[in-house]
Amino acid sequence: TLAFMVPLFAILEQDRLQDKKGRRLAGVQAVIVAPTRELAMQLTKVARQIAVGCPDATLNVMSITSDSKAKRQRIWLKADPPQVVIGDAESLLKVSEAGTLRTGSLRFLVVDEVDACI
């Protein structure tokens, strides 16, 4: 987990650019796909610990799993998208198909334990 997460967090755009009206321009920069809900939750825990340790930066991490609050996630993803989204493949597909997960600013896609996803 740390082998891909530490370098990823080191190169994410930590500053949230804003337009003249104060709206944030940067959106989701990284999506991490896990084969199971349990692994997605473990990855989220590690990612949040790393984010807290990033000096002079505010990196937001969001978990999207089958047991998460769907309405709350949709509102957050649109209003204030985090830099990193982590979830199981099925849940990420649902929010993507619903148009909630915007990938216009996506720079990184990590599939953890890809052999388990096949």
Side-chain angles (χ1 to χ4, degrees):
T1 300
L2 294 176
F4 69 81
M5 213 171 278
V6 171
L8 177 68
F9 275 65
I11 57 178
L12 287 176
E13 292 179 21
Q14 298 171 358
D15 295 329
R16 296 277 189 116
L17 300 176
Q18 296 183 353
D19 65 10
K20 292 179 181 179
K21 295 182 180 180
R23 295 179 296 205
R24 292 184 179 177
L25 299 175
V28 176
Q29 297 175 44
V31 173
I32 301 173
V33 184
T36 64
R37 181 184 65 83
E38 292 78 16
L39 182 56
M41 296 305 296
Q42 290 174 4
L43 291 170
T44 301
K45 181 178 179 182
V46 171
R48 287 181 176 154
Q49 290 172 341
I50 294 170
V52 169
C54 290
D56 302 325
T58 302
L59 292 172
N60 295 316
V61 177
M62 179 182 195
S63 174
I64 297 179
T65 57
S66 56
D67 66 341
S68 301
K69 306 272 189 236
K71 184 176 181 178
R72 181 184 60 153
Q73 289 174 343
R74 286 192 304 268
I75 293 169
W76 183 19
L77 274 171
K78 286 184 179 181
D80 189 18
Q83 285 99 334
V84 181
V85 173
I86 302 172
D88 59 274
E90 183 180 348
S91 299
L92 289 170
L93 179 62
K94 285 180 184 178
V95 295
S96 181
E97 287 178 341
T100 308
L101 179 60
R102 297 182 187 146
T103 57
S105 59
L106 187 67
R107 297 173 57 203
F108 305 99
L109 175 64
V110 178
V111 182
D112 195 14
E113 296 188 15
V114 70
D115 55 327
C117 293
I118 298 176

